Amino acid sequence: MIILFSKEMLLVLGNESYMAARTVLPLLLGAYVFQLVYMIYVVHLFYHKNTKLISVISILSGIIALLLNLWLVPKWGMYGGAVCTLFSFAMMAFLSYRFSLRYIRVRIMDWKVIGFLIALAVIITGVYL
């Protein structure tokens, strides 16, 4: 819903100078959806006291974000930063999912999460275009 009304929200919460952020807002909101997916699966790693693995996931995603920011921000500006955020959060979500499969006997919302992400990608693409 935020994506659909992003222009109006930016006008209400800011002024015309914030309208440039409208183009990167869908990418950033998509990144935080991946962070939500990360939080769903990392709970199992916390429960089994595998905090070293959580640290490795976080550090690896941080290094990827740093390298992508160094590469893409000079070329694309704020769009590069948004893409880097999206990719690094997606990497965190994927890695936490893969490592939590060691502890989960029943797959938790696999198809629901995948379907949600596909629907989100379609909506973001439609709004973005």
Side-chain angles (χ1 to χ4, degrees):
M1 293 305 294
I2 292 173
I3 294 171
L4 295 175
F5 299 107
S6 61
K7 180 180 177 183
E8 291 79 11
M9 287 179 60
L10 286 172
L11 286 174
V12 169
L13 298 174
N15 55 26
E16 287 293 325
S17 63
Y18 289 95
M19 290 309 290
R22 182 174 179 231
T23 57
V24 296
L25 192 59
L27 295 172
L28 294 176
L29 290 173
Y32 284 102
V33 168
F34 280 116
Q35 186 182 26
L36 174 68
V37 173
Y38 164 77
M39 295 302 288
I40 290 171
Y41 289 109
V42 80
V43 169
H44 300 288
L45 300 177
F46 277 117
Y47 179 76
H48 292 284
K49 296 179 174 62
N50 201 343
T51 54
K52 289 180 185 177
L53 188 57
I54 297 169
S55 298
V56 169
I57 291 170
S58 299
I59 290 170
L60 182 63
S61 297
I63 290 171
I64 289 171
L66 178 68
L67 294 175
L68 283 175
N69 274 314
L70 289 173
W71 180 47
L72 291 178
V73 170
K75 290 182 180 182
W76 295 347
M78 68 178 172
Y79 304 107
V83 169
C84 294
T85 303
L86 180 68
F87 187 77
S88 64
F89 282 14
M91 180 64 71
M92 275 183 14
F94 175 74
L95 290 176
S96 65
Y97 166 73
R98 292 298 298 163
F99 289 119
S100 69
L101 287 179
R102 295 179 183 172
Y103 305 108
I104 303 173
R105 299 260 187 252
V106 178
R107 303 231 189 256
I108 298 176
M109 300 185 299
D110 284 346
W111 290 109
K112 290 181 183 177
V113 170
I114 291 170
F116 176 73
L117 293 175
I118 290 171
L120 179 71
V122 168
I123 291 170
I124 288 175
T125 303
V127 170
Y128 203 71
L129 296 177

